[in-house]
Amino acid sequence: MFKKILIANRGEIAVRVIKTCKRLGIATVAVYSEADADSLAVEMADEAVFIGASAPGESYLVLDKILDAVKQTGADAVHPGFGFLSENPALPKALEKAGIGWIGPNIHAIDAMGDKIRSKQLAAKAGVSTIPGADGEIADAETALAAAKAIGYPVMLKASAGGGGKGMRIARSDSEVKEGFKAARNEAKSSFGDDRILIEKFIEEPRHIEIQVMGDKHGHVIHLNERECSIQRRNQKVLEEAPSPFLDKKTREAMGAQAVSLAAAVDYDSAGTVEFIVDKDKKFYFLEMNTRLQVEHPVTELTTDVDLVELMIRSAFGEELGLAQRDVPIKGWAVEARLYAEDPYRGFLPSIGRLKRFQEPAEGKLGEGTLRIDAGVREGDEISLFYDPMIAKVIGYGKTREIAIDTLSAALDRLHVEGLQSNAPFLSAVLDEADFRAGRIHTGYIGEHYPDGFHGTAPREEQLVAMTCAAAFVHETFVRRASQIEGRLRPADEPTVREWVVLLDKRRIPVEIEMTGNGQATIWAPSLASERLQVETAWRAGQHLFEARINGETIALEFADRTEGYQMRHRGFSAVGLVCTARAAELHALLPEKEKPDMAKLVVSPMPGLVVSLEVEEGQAVKTGEPLVIVEAMKMENVLRAETDGTIKAVKVEAGASVAADELLVEFE
């Protein structure tokens, strides 16, 4: 077996590989950029090598720096993770020449299948159903436009290299083809160092279902069932699950057989994924093959009882697979959520900064299911603008799909992220939706259910009850503690029952609260509940999770003490609860609402990032919808457009400048 493995990656996938290596007794080497010097992967690895500046093009994408790190440490194999150089055949070629092991598929397979253009051509020759599209690379915007007209709208422009939603655009008109081609090419170049673009028909409302394959160097190839990855935003997967709630046994076997045949055609000898789009009639079409480990691999591991990283290592060392197709079960259900540093209330824009607080529930048993968390960051770490904004992958597992979803929802309830925004409220909202729970999903699901963006969810009765109880309990605890500290009252002199008014979600909720024991209270809120509410909680001052049993039902709220009131979140609903006396509540109702500043003539940066280009200059007249500034963050370009007709009074930034969130970029007259 390999003695020392260098991981040519960062973040949660580097941590994931290290965990398996530790279990197998294999030493590990982490590589790191300036931004990752204090990362969890560096802390966990046995050795670490600095490879350059924060930008991927100066560190993780530089082949020579990876090879130098291998030589420095004497590593006898390299695991590439996903992204960066994982599908670049230059790395395994160089390693082979140096006599170093490559924990991935053979070079021929990467060449044949890692390139979307060539893989599609090979799939068609092999008799695999493929999506209609232009043959080969699209050289320029004019060629893209001609191809789009020939194929018929809508079309998909996408990078030939890489994946993860980078370098992909859907176009429904000539103008969108022109803009989309430029943006896709720029993203592809910055993310993968390869700006080739292909174009194909975009199939409306498809499902994105992929088959996990695994091969060895002895001619054995099997599949490990499917993953449903249809919940996407901007072609980036958000929720994944295994198995698919849509496939029947016949379709699963047919897709698996095609995936295995395609892999066998290139002597595939590692972990890989054959991706398909599936229409409403269960007709499936080859999309691409990813010649690497996938981000969403944990759902496959949980439902098959295999460690895909271990299988990759053993296969690379020359061991036989040791698994036949008949040995691959479907055990239970797993659902994964990608927890990102992004603000769902502001169009999912990246939210870059330091994780001032990051608290997560313990892995293992949770409710009726089991929780797994794959994270590459800790409290105090910084989410950098140079990389993917993932904080963690949160996976719920159970005997049934319902239990897996409930477990994942319960885990998201118990997460606390502070210092930046996360998409946890949005993830929870989707998991709660009737259509998702019924499995009525497709790749356009998010756009269909949130056409105007995400603005939170309306509160359910049980959420209002829980937040009222939490606010009242916490406030009563603080009041009692303050009175005892000040020496005004002894515990025996405290009133048995106290009356408060909770102002929550524009509601005035009178309550009576009686503290009946350590962490126990009886709350009477007749405007909300017809019965007295028995509250039991282990909450203590300073904690950011209020977990309690209310009349026997467990609920967990993200909780923070603010200057005025208590900020609470449960799933997609968040609100501030203010607890006061009846007189204070009357006076509070008389306070005027604070007017929002007039921002009509100002264009500010919605997030920290780099100004890629300025599309306007001072004195220029612009029309509604025209691009003004392009800001890049986390390898994604964001086009800021004019919201009204007008004339540019001033441009406050220059191309190449770093900007902060809400920094003024352009001013209109």
Side-chain angles (χ1 to χ4, degrees):
M1 180 51 69
F2 297 120
K3 301 298 183 184
K4 185 186 293 186
I5 291 175
L6 181 141
I7 302 146
N9 217 295
R10 63 175 300 280
E12 61 88 14
I13 186 55
V15 171
R16 166 71 189 88
V17 174
I18 290 170
K19 287 180 179 179
T20 289
C21 288
K22 283 183 178 294
R23 183 172 58 79
L24 297 176
I26 301 171
T28 54
V29 179
V31 293
Y32 65 94
S33 68
E34 288 178 353
D36 290 331
D38 298 317
S39 68
L40 179 59
V42 169
E43 178 185 298
M44 291 179 63
D46 297 294
E47 299 177 60
V49 178
F50 175 67
I51 57 171
S54 300
E58 299 178 51
S59 51
Y60 296 104
L61 285 171
V62 182
L63 177 61
D64 288 344
K65 292 188 176 183
I66 301 298
L67 296 175
D68 285 344
V70 173
K71 292 176 183 176
Q72 286 180 43
T73 58
D76 52 354
V78 171
H79 194 300
F82 41 68
F84 297 135
L85 295 172
S86 63
E87 293 177 285
N88 186 335
L91 178 55
K93 286 177 182 176
L95 293 173
E96 183 180 60
K97 185 177 180 181
I100 304 298
W102 164 249
I103 304 173
N106 62 77
I107 297 167
H108 167 63
I110 297 175
D111 275 334
M113 304 306 297
D115 182 300
K116 292 183 179 68
I117 295 173
R118 289 188 60 200
S119 66
K120 185 177 179 181
Q121 293 168 340
L122 180 61
K125 289 179 182 178
V128 178
S129 178
T130 58
I131 306 168
D135 188 27
E137 176 187 352
I138 302 299
D140 49 45
E142 288 70 27
T143 305
L145 188 59
K149 290 179 177 179
I151 296 168
Y153 290 112
V155 295
M156 171 71 82
L157 294 148
K158 63 182 181 181
S160 178
K166 304 295 191 299
M168 299 178 73
R169 291 291 188 277
I170 298 169
R172 302 178 185 276
S173 66
D174 291 358
S175 61
E176 289 184 0
V177 167
K178 293 177 181 178
E179 279 192 21
F181 179 83
K182 180 181 178 182
R185 171 168 275 187
N186 289 344
E187 283 181 8
K189 186 173 183 178
S190 65
S191 297
F192 316 116
D194 185 338
D195 65 357
R196 290 173 302 150
I197 299 295
L198 61 86
I199 187 169
E200 60 192 19
K201 181 71 175 177
F202 177 70
I203 296 176
E204 300 280 8
E205 296 190 6
R207 286 177 178 257
H208 185 130
I209 300 177
E210 58 192 31
I211 303 292
Q212 174 73 57
V213 296
M214 186 70 216
D216 63 19
K217 299 183 183 302
H218 303 273
H220 304 126
V221 182
I222 62 170
H223 71 82
L224 291 92
N225 307 314
E226 82 279 3
R227 294 185 288 258
E228 171 90 52
C229 307
S230 297
I231 302 295
Q232 304 180 4
R233 190 188 64 77
R234 289 186 66 182
N235 305 305
Q236 178 77 50
K237 298 165 186 174
V238 176
L239 292 168
E240 303 103 348
E241 59 183 302
S244 165
F246 184 62
L247 293 192
D248 52 35
K249 186 173 183 289
K250 179 181 178 181
T251 309
R252 175 179 295 112
E253 289 178 350
M255 292 178 70
Q258 279 203 16
V260 169
S261 295
L262 193 58
V266 290
D267 298 322
Y268 205 83
D269 54 354
S270 188
T273 302
V274 182
E275 302 197 353
F276 295 92
I277 57 172
V278 185
D279 68 17
K280 296 176 182 178
D281 300 318
K282 293 188 173 68
K283 293 180 181 177
F284 55 90
Y285 303 90
F286 171 74
L287 186 62
E288 62 183 343
M289 183 173 187
N290 289 312
T291 55
R292 54 172 169 78
L293 194 65
Q294 292 280 91
V295 175
E296 58 273 19
H297 73 274
V299 296
T300 295
E301 293 186 325
L302 287 168
T303 54
T304 58
D305 277 344
V306 301
D307 182 328
L308 287 169
V309 174
E310 179 180 349
L311 289 182
M312 292 179 74
I313 293 171
R314 292 189 180 281
S315 175
F317 192 69
E319 295 184 14
E320 291 198 36
L321 194 55
L323 279 176
Q325 193 63 59
R326 63 179 178 273
D327 300 323
V328 181
I330 299 180
K331 296 179 60 177
W333 217 289
V335 184
E336 173 181 295
R338 300 190 185 192
L339 184 70
Y340 282 125
E342 60 186 15
D343 190 344
Y345 300 99
R346 299 180 67 179
F348 298 92
L349 291 169
S351 181
I352 301 162
R354 190 166 300 282
L355 278 166
K356 293 180 180 177
R357 295 188 186 276
F358 177 45
Q359 297 171 0
E360 54 191 358
E363 291 186 287
K365 187 71 174 174
L366 180 59
E368 295 183 66
T370 303
L371 174 65
R372 169 175 166 175
I373 297 180
D374 285 17
V377 295
R378 305 147 298 184
E379 187 171 277
D381 286 349
E382 186 167 346
I383 304 298
S384 168
L385 64 87
F386 294 101
Y387 312 116
D388 187 272
M390 183 178 288
I391 300 172
K393 297 183 303 196
V394 187
I395 310 103
Y397 172 78
K399 292 181 180 179
T400 66
R401 185 171 187 263
E402 182 179 10
I403 292 174
I405 293 172
D406 287 344
T407 303
L408 177 54
S409 294
L412 293 172
D413 291 344
R414 289 159 175 78
L415 280 167
H416 177 68
V417 176
E418 197 172 314
L420 45 79
Q421 298 297 318
S422 85
N423 64 339
F426 173 71
L427 295 170
S428 295
V430 174
L431 292 170
D432 270 355
E433 288 169 352
D435 282 344
F436 178 82
R437 286 188 168 260
R440 295 189 292 266
I441 58 180
H442 55 83
T443 57
Y445 182 93
I446 291 176
E448 180 182 276
H449 285 69
Y450 302 95
D452 301 317
F454 180 71
H455 306 290
T457 59
R460 301 192 299 271
E461 181 181 350
E462 65 267 24
Q463 291 175 314
L464 291 174
V465 168
M467 289 186 178
T468 298
C469 288
F473 184 95
V474 168
H475 193 74
E476 179 69 16
T477 300
F478 284 157
V479 169
R480 285 173 175 263
R481 186 177 67 169
S483 65
Q484 291 163 17
I485 291 173
E486 293 171 9
R488 297 198 311 265
L489 294 171
R490 292 172 299 154
D493 296 329
E494 286 282 2
T496 304
V497 178
R498 196 155 8 214
E499 295 182 357
W500 298 107
V501 174
V502 179
L503 303 178
L504 177 68
D505 192 41
K506 299 182 179 179
R507 302 170 191 237
R508 185 179 187 277
I509 307 169
V511 301
E512 291 181 4
I513 179 169
E514 179 183 6
M515 305 297 275
T516 56
N518 186 26
Q520 296 180 324
T522 298
I523 296 177
W524 173 230
S527 64
L528 274 185
S530 59
E531 57 184 343
R532 293 186 181 274
L533 303 164
Q534 305 299 322
V535 179
E536 302 173 65
T537 179
W539 179 86
R540 294 290 181 271
Q543 293 181 345
H544 295 275
L545 176 70
F546 186 89
E547 187 169 5
R549 288 180 64 82
I550 301 176
N551 284 3
E553 296 293 325
T554 300
I555 193 163
L557 306 172
E558 190 176 23
F559 177 91
D561 184 10
R562 298 302 184 207
T563 303
E564 185 179 48
Y566 309 106
Q567 179 73 51
M568 296 171 285
R569 179 186 70 82
H570 182 258
R571 315 235 162 138
F573 174 63
S574 62
V576 173
L578 179 63
V579 185
C580 51
T581 63
R583 179 56 179 158
E586 291 175 3
L587 295 173
H588 194 276
L590 301 176
L591 293 174
E593 289 191 13
K594 185 178 180 180
E595 292 185 6
K596 294 182 179 180
D598 183 10
M599 301 289 288
K601 294 184 177 181
L602 305 178
V603 177
V604 299
S605 180
M607 73 281 178
L610 298 172
V611 177
V612 176
S613 66
L614 296 170
E615 304 297 315
V616 293
E617 57 186 23
E618 293 181 5
Q620 180 178 335
V622 296
K623 297 291 185 182
T624 302
E626 289 186 5
L628 304 173
V629 184
I630 300 177
V631 179
E632 181 187 84
M634 296 175 176
K635 302 183 288 185
M636 297 293 286
E637 289 189 353
N638 298 273
V639 182
L640 307 184
R641 301 178 183 276
E643 295 186 0
T644 184
D645 295 353
T647 302
I648 304 299
K649 178 181 179 181
V651 178
K652 301 291 187 178
V653 293
E654 297 179 350
S658 296
V659 293
D662 297 321
E663 183 174 335
L664 180 61
L665 305 179
V666 175
E667 184 178 356
F668 280 78
E669 291 184 354

